[in-house]
Every structure is written in C-alpha cells, then in structure tokens.
Amino acid sequence: MSNVIEHWRDGMVFAGSSSATAPVTNPATGAVTGEVALASVEDARAVIDSAAAAFPAWRDASLAKRASVLFAYRELLNKRKGELAEIITSEHGKVLSDALGEVSRGLEVVEFACGIPNLLKGGFTENASTKVDVHSVLQPLGPVGIISPFNFPAMVPMWFFPIAIAAGNTVVIKPSEKDPSASLWMARLWKEAGLPDGVFNVLQGDKTAVDELLTNPKIKAISFVGSTPIAQYVYATATAAGKRVQALGGAKNHAVILPDADLDLAADAMVNAGFGSAGERCMAISACVAVGPIADELVAKIAERTITIKTGDGTKDSDMGPLVTKVHRDKVATYIDAGEAAGAKVVVDGRTVMDGAGDRDPSGFWLGPTLLDNVTPEMSVYTDEIFGPVLAVLRVETYDEALALINSNPYGNGTAIFTNDGGAARRFQNEVEVGMVGINVPIPVPMSYYSFGGWKASLFGDSHAHGAEGVHFFTRTKAITTRWLDPSHGGINLGFPENK
C-alpha cells in the first residue's frame, strides 16, 4: 500500500504487524492523501518496549548532554518550522499562518526545557541532625505516554515531550489518526538533533493503542488532551493502573463584554478568538456574553467583521480553512440548525459558504464563520462544546449575571473580560472559576514558563501542562539522609531515630 504513515521506534519507522489502516484526508479537497497504520496490541507493546529499553541510559545521561540535545532540537525546529506548518495544513486544514503560529508556541516550550539543569535543582540541608545531612533530588519517572488531539498536532505534544525528555524520561506519543504525519516529522528531527534511539517514539492507532498505553505497566504517566468524556476515561483507566495522569478535557469559553469596553477591540477579539483555526481550539471563545445595553452595537460590529472573512484552502490566500473531516463539518452544521430552531437569530450563516464558492473545492469540508444572537443557556449551541466556527451571543443585564453564567458552567478552561474598569477586571479575575483568564486578551494561553490548564470538567488530575507544573509532573522527589560515621561507632540503639 502506498503512502502508509507508520510508527516510529528505535530511531526508525516501524511498520508493525497489523494491516489495519485509516484514511488521512486533505480537508480542503476531501482527497485521501494517505493511510495511517492502526497498531495492534503487539505493535503497541513493541513501541513501548523500545521506550522502556532506552530509559536507563537516558536517565543516566548528564544534564549537560540532555540540554545540548534540546538546544540542537530547538535550532533545527526554528530553522525548519515552515516544513512542519505545511504538513499540519495539509492534514488539519488550518491556514499556513495559523499552523506556523502553532509551531512557534510549541517551540517556546522547547526553549523552556533547554533550561532543564536549573529546573531540576534539588535541595540540601547540612547538619539537619548532628553530623547528618539531608538532600532531595528530582528523578524521571520512566517511559511516559502522550495522547494528543487533532487540532494541534505539533503544539500540544510539545507542551509535554520537551520537558519529559529533558527531565530524563522516554516518550511514546500517540497522535490523532486525522493528522498523524507531524509526529513522524518531529521524530526524525529528534534523531537529527542527536537524541538517542528509543527516547522518542510514535505509536499510530486508535483505541487499541490508547488502551495499551493506559494499562501497560511499563508506562509510568499519561498526558492527554481531548474531549471531556475521553479525558474522564483516560483518567479513570490510567489511574486505576497506578499511573500519574494529566488529562485536559473540553471547554466552553466565555468572553464577558462590559458596557465600558472598547467595542471595536472587543469585536476584533471575538472574531479572532471565535473563528481562528475554524473554531477548532480548546481556547476558542464560543460564548460572547454582552452585558447591559451594548449588545445590539456589539453584534453589529462582530457581524461587520465576520462577513469579511475569506474561507478557503489553507495554502492559499484565506483567513479560515475547512473543518478537519466531513463528519465533523456536518455535526457542527446540525448545531446551527438546532440553535435556529430553538429561537436563536442567525446573524451570519456559515452554512451558505458554498453559495458562489469561488475557488473552493466542492469536495472540501467547508463551513463558514457563523454568528448567532439571542442564544439562551438551555440551547444545545450553548451547552455543548461544538468545536467549530460558531460564536453564540448571550445577553445579560449585569456583571453578576455574567459571572454566574460562567461559574455555573461545567467547564472551566479559559475565559476573558473586556473592560476599561480596573476594579471590575480585578474582581473578575478573583471570582471567576476558570483556570486561565484574559483581561482584554481573548485567548489567554499562558507563556511556556506558566502552566496551561483548566478547572472543573476541563482537567482531570492535579497537574497542568508545561511550566513548573510540567517539571513536577514528569519527575518525582527522592529525599536522601546521609551520615558519615566517625571512627568510633555509636553502639546499638533500637529506639526510634531522634533529631539531636
């Protein structure tokens, strides 16, 4: 079979024993561009075994060695990030500039991990007891699994694997079947950077591969990003198998627009945050909460900007690309249908994007940006995570109503407030029950040296991604108590040790 996207183990592609595959498509044309291998249990174990075999030597590699490999990887990735962006666009559909931005944000975590010698410093206490010293060290866990989603095939894995590898762990990444090629490109880059074979591995596949990662005793930790139901499954299954887990789930991100806000700034932000990457972002704003009398003007400004968005092939002069699959495109369209049937006003209708389609391939998975007004909290277009270019406007009278709306939502990933009132902003950042907050910033993705993660049903586990929490997640602390004896022994004492 031509163009089979295979696994990666021991520093080379690995075909595996399974003949099962799944199609990989170009969302802009609908054409099948390749077939991704679907691992059997035996294939998954072979890849995991490679990570396990490589762990002792990589664990014992000096911090200077690990850092030098990270620096080399950083330089190669920065030089050739355009190649990776093109691969992402060809399988995901997002426009090239968006794909390049994704790679650049992942690169920031690689840069953070280059400082691993400083990040892994332990502590030392001299003479904690008489002639007894105590010190602590941070040690790697072992082989770790990363299960990443389709929407960021480069950035999300890079939230995890640079820190995991820098800390001395080995990695098995299971990318989405929808856009699996980016993972193999990154694997080849690691080899070019000098990473020893077996430290970075790629396991292609579906639930069979995932379940083996979750239950195989050689895998010590799992990092996951995806929908909340799957995050719950990953967390329950992997923790039951004794693993450390960080499972980042779904989102319903709100932006509150207060009456004193700059409405032009707010409208720009709603369009950018609602429709960038066709809304297929866990940090996308999907609920715009207009407070007080500004709703009509705000909706008009958002609509003016929305109708100028050019939806098309991500490799051409387009603002927004297609959705990742036809099935997903059709599912998102049903939410627009349901919202309209429930009484929401369709201000801009993305279902009509193929009317006068221009140079869009009729086989592509097209759905244009959609703006819905007068949405109410019981509508499915509000309650569900749609993961598409659908922005819902809800109208409330007061700040307290807006806050209650957000805090009663089961998700708590990201949120934003638009205001020129510092007191209101400070109150919001304190009172809102969400993990990442923007003040006049619509997509508050933290820098690599801060942690990324939500609250409530948006996170299962107690560690967020990257930053200091990432280092904590991929290491465990060992405390060592030392006494070098004098020439004369102290004699036998069966009592409990006391500090003196």
Side-chain angles (χ1 to χ4, degrees):
M1 184 181 296
S2 61
N3 197 24
V4 176
I5 303 161
E6 297 176 322
H7 319 286
W8 180 275
R9 67 185 285 259
D10 291 337
M12 64 184 70
V13 292
F14 169 59
S17 61
S18 173
S19 60
T21 62
V24 177
T25 57
N26 181 336
T29 65
V32 175
T33 57
E35 297 283 334
V36 61
L38 299 180
S40 64
V41 171
E42 291 72 25
D43 296 336
R45 289 176 180 171
V47 175
I48 292 169
D49 286 348
S50 293
F55 172 64
W58 185 242
R59 173 199 60 202
D60 294 337
S62 70
L63 289 175
K65 170 63 176 176
R66 292 188 219 156
S68 70
V69 174
L70 264 291
F71 272 107
Y73 188 77
R74 187 265 175 203
E75 291 303 301
L76 289 169
L77 182 59
N78 189 51
K79 184 183 299 183
R80 294 167 50 189
K81 57 189 175 184
E83 296 175 28
L84 183 54
E86 290 177 359
I87 292 171
I88 294 167
T89 294
S90 70
E91 294 182 348
H92 176 277
K94 64 179 66 176
V95 298
L96 276 171
S97 60
D98 193 27
L100 192 61
E102 166 185 346
V103 178
S104 297
R105 291 308 297 264
L107 181 62
E108 293 175 4
V109 183
V110 178
E111 292 169 346
F112 173 77
C114 285
I116 200 65
N118 183 62
L119 299 170
L120 289 186
K121 289 191 298 186
F124 186 91
T125 301
E126 185 179 36
N127 220 36
S129 187
T130 304
K131 297 183 180 180
V132 173
D133 304 329
V134 181
H135 72 280
S136 64
V137 294
L138 299 176
Q139 294 187 331
L141 307 176
V144 299
I146 298 169
I147 304 167
S148 65
F150 78 84
N151 60 325
F152 288 103
M155 184 185 75
V156 166
M158 281 194 274
W159 282 350
F160 305 112
F161 68 66
I163 298 173
I165 290 172
N169 302 279
T170 55
V171 167
V172 177
I173 175 175
K174 208 301 287 183
S176 169
E177 310 95 291
K178 297 179 178 68
D179 43 15
S181 295
S183 59
L184 282 182
W185 187 93
M186 291 187 288
R188 291 186 175 95
L189 202 71
W190 273 119
K191 186 175 181 68
E192 189 174 341
L195 189 70
D197 294 345
V199 176
F200 184 87
N201 306 275
V202 179
L203 176 63
Q204 310 285 8
D206 52 15
K207 188 174 184 294
T208 298
V210 168
D211 284 347
E212 186 61 28
L213 284 173
L214 301 183
T215 57
N216 191 299
K218 293 180 181 178
I219 295 294
K220 304 304 180 183
I222 293 290
S223 300
F224 170 85
V225 176
S227 69
T228 285
I230 305 302
Q232 289 176 304
Y233 172 79
V234 166
Y235 182 76
T237 306
T239 54
K243 303 184 192 305
R244 183 178 290 188
V245 181
Q246 49 183 180
L248 282 67
K252 195 69 183 182
N253 302 322
H254 300 68
V256 176
I257 318 298
L258 293 186
D260 71 303
D262 181 325
L263 295 188
D264 288 310
L265 171 67
D268 288 342
M270 293 306 94
V271 172
N272 295 337
F275 306 131
S277 197
E280 294 171 327
R281 292 172 174 163
C282 65
M283 290 295 286
I285 293 294
S286 55
C288 172
V289 185
V291 179
I294 49 97
D296 287 343
E297 184 180 359
L298 176 64
V299 170
K301 287 180 179 292
I302 295 173
E304 288 172 6
R305 290 156 171 79
T306 300
I307 60 176
T308 67
I309 294 174
K310 182 178 180 181
T311 303
D313 190 324
T315 64
K316 300 177 181 177
D317 183 25
S318 302
D319 302 311
M320 190 184 89
L323 272 70
V324 68
T325 65
K326 184 179 187 303
V327 170
H328 185 54
R329 181 261 168 222
D330 293 346
K331 181 181 179 181
V332 174
T334 64
Y335 277 106
I336 304 172
D337 297 340
E340 185 176 32
K345 179 183 178 182
V346 182
V347 181
V348 180
D349 193 344
R351 296 169 297 184
T352 65
V353 72
M354 289 304 291
D355 297 350
D359 62 355
R360 281 186 292 274
D361 190 310
S363 298
F365 312 138
W366 306 110
L367 186 71
T370 298
L371 177 63
L372 300 178
D373 191 12
N374 296 306
V375 172
T376 55
E378 69 276 2
M379 296 180 184
S380 63
V381 73
Y382 172 74
T383 58
D384 296 0
E385 183 184 27
I386 298 173
F387 224 62
V390 180
L391 179 64
V393 178
L394 296 91
R395 298 174 177 231
V396 299
E397 291 300 319
T398 65
Y399 164 90
D400 287 330
E401 288 181 66
L403 182 70
L405 190 68
I406 299 172
N407 286 351
S408 63
N409 194 277
Y411 298 110
N413 201 48
T415 190
I417 188 169
F418 286 80
T419 180
N420 285 312
D421 184 336
R426 192 173 189 280
R427 180 181 170 190
F428 182 77
Q429 73 184 37
N430 179 58
E431 296 176 338
V432 74
E433 296 173 7
V434 173
M436 292 171 284
V437 181
I439 298 171
N440 297 320
V441 175
I443 305 179
V445 177
M447 298 299 291
S448 61
Y449 38 86
Y450 282 90
S451 64
F452 180 103
W455 289 7
K456 299 186 286 190
S458 295
L459 176 73
F460 299 87
D462 61 359
S463 291
H464 290 179
H466 61 66
E469 289 199 42
V471 177
H472 168 76
F473 182 80
F474 287 115
T475 59
R476 51 188 173 183
T477 302
K478 180 180 287 182
I480 302 161
T481 304
T482 305
R483 177 174 61 191
W484 295 107
L485 298 178
D486 290 332
S488 59
H489 291 196
I492 295 173
N493 183 349
L494 300 186
F496 194 83
E498 295 181 33
N499 292 327
K500 296 180 181 178

